Amino acid sequence: MKIGFIGAGVVAQTISKHVLPFGHRVLLSNRRGPDSLASLVKELGTGAEAGTPQQAAEQDIVVLAVNWPSVQAALFSVTDWKGRILVDATNRVAGYNPLTLGDISGRTSTEIVADLAPGAKVVKLFNSVPMSWISNFSSSKPRTVLFISGDDDEAKKPLNDLIEQVGFSCVDLGPLAIGGRLQQLGGPLAGINLAFTERFVL
Ligand SMILES: NC(=O)c1ccc[n+]([C@@H]2O[C@H](COP(=O)([O-])OP(=O)(O)OC[C@H]3O[C@@H](n4cnc5c(N)ncnc54)[C@H](OP(=O)(O)O)[C@@H]3O)[C@@H](O)[C@H]2O)c1
C-alpha cells in the first residue's frame, strides 16, 4: 500500500516508521516543499519519498497530519477530493500555552474536515493517542488499541487491515458522528492507553 501524508511532522514520521518495515511505501509532504524533506526521507529509508500535498492525496490512502489551524489551507491545496480515502489524524488544538481548542460548534472535528474535502471518504484514525505512546518500533512492541471511525466501511477496511498488520489493535467505533465524538480530543476514548503484550484467549 502507498500512503501519502499531508504534514511531515511527528505523526507522519511515527506512522511511516511503523508501516515501512512491512513493505508499504510513504510519500510525505509539507508546507515548505519536497526539497525541505530530503534528509528526512533519506533517514526513513527504502520506501519513503517526498512530494507535494497534491501528490500525497493521489496515493492509495492519504493521512491529514497538520495542526488544526492549517487544516483548511492543507485540504484546499488538493484540487479534487472525490473518491479519495482521507484519514483525519488531527486534533482541534488551536494553540498551546495556554491550550485552546478550535471552535467546532457542537459538531465533530472530523465532520468539519469532511466538509472541507468534498467527496472524500473520511476516516478518523491515529488521533487518539500521543505518538510518544506508540514510538516503540520493534517487533515486540505492545499491541496498542487505535480507534477508527468513519461512515464508509469499505474505506475503513484497508486501514483496519493495515494497522492490525503493523502491530496495533483496531477498534471500530462506527460512524463519524458517533465514533468521531468518542475518540476526538476531549471525548471519553481520547488519550486512553490500551496496550497489551499478552492476551488471554478463550
Ligand atoms: N504529535 C502527536 O503525538 C499527535 C498525536 C495524535 C494526533 N496529533 C495531531 O496530528 C496533527 C499533526 O500533529 P504533529 O505533531 O505531527 O504536528 P507537527 O509535528 O507540528 O507537524 C505538522 C506538519 O504539518 C505541515 N503543514 C502545516 N501546514 C501545512 C499545509 N498547509 N500543507 C501541508 N503541510 C502543512 C508542517 O509543514 P511545515 O513544517 O512545512 O510547516 C509539518 O510538517 C495535529 O492536528 C495534532 O493535533 C498529534
Side-chain angles (χ1 to χ4, degrees):
M1 185 175 285
K2 191 151 180 194
I3 303 155
F5 289 90
I6 301 181
V10 177
V11 170
Q13 293 174 36
T14 303
I15 304 306
S16 294
K17 288 176 189 170
H18 282 292
V19 303
L20 284 167
F22 290 83
H24 299 292
R25 289 175 296 147
V26 299
L27 186 149
L28 277 68
S29 70
N30 66 1
R31 193 164 27 189
R32 288 167 292 145
D35 289 349
S36 68
L37 296 169
S39 62
L40 172 61
V41 295
K42 193 172 172 200
E43 182 196 322
L44 288 171
T46 306
E49 66 176 312
T52 63
Q54 178 66 35
Q55 288 170 319
E58 289 165 3
Q59 307 310 311
D60 301 325
I61 283 168
V62 55
V63 180
L64 180 66
V66 302
N67 292 305
W68 186 251
S70 300
V71 162
Q72 179 167 316
L75 291 172
F76 282 8
S77 65
V78 174
T79 52
D80 185 6
W81 281 103
K82 201 158 181 284
R84 303 188 194 282
I85 299 178
L86 169 61
V87 176
D88 175 23
T90 67
N91 284 315
R92 57 169 182 123
V93 177
Y96 296 91
N97 297 322
L99 183 71
T100 52
L101 301 184
D103 177 27
I104 51 175
S105 304
R107 304 179 70 210
T108 66
S109 59
T110 304
E111 289 175 296
I112 289 170
V113 167
D115 281 355
L116 295 169
K121 301 169 185 174
V122 179
V123 175
K124 184 85 173 161
L125 177 63
F126 300 131
N127 77 294
S128 61
V129 292
M131 293 297 110
S132 57
W133 290 358
I134 57 167
S135 290
N136 177 348
F137 304 105
S138 74
S139 56
S140 60
K141 65 190 176 195
R143 284 194 86 83
T144 299
V145 170
L146 298 183
F147 295 115
I148 189 169
S149 38
D151 299 339
D152 187 316
D153 287 342
E154 281 181 28
K156 283 188 279 192
K157 174 82 170 64
L159 285 157
N160 178 92
D161 294 349
L162 175 73
I163 65 174
E164 290 276 344
Q165 180 199 25
V166 306
F168 299 106
S169 219
C170 187
V171 175
D172 189 343
L173 301 176
L176 289 181
I178 298 169
R181 195 173 299 282
L182 293 172
Q183 74 180 90
Q184 75 179 4
L185 186 64
L189 295 180
I192 292 180
N193 196 356
L194 297 170
F196 50 93
T197 51
E198 292 180 69
R199 191 177 203 170
F200 184 75
V201 180
L202 291 173

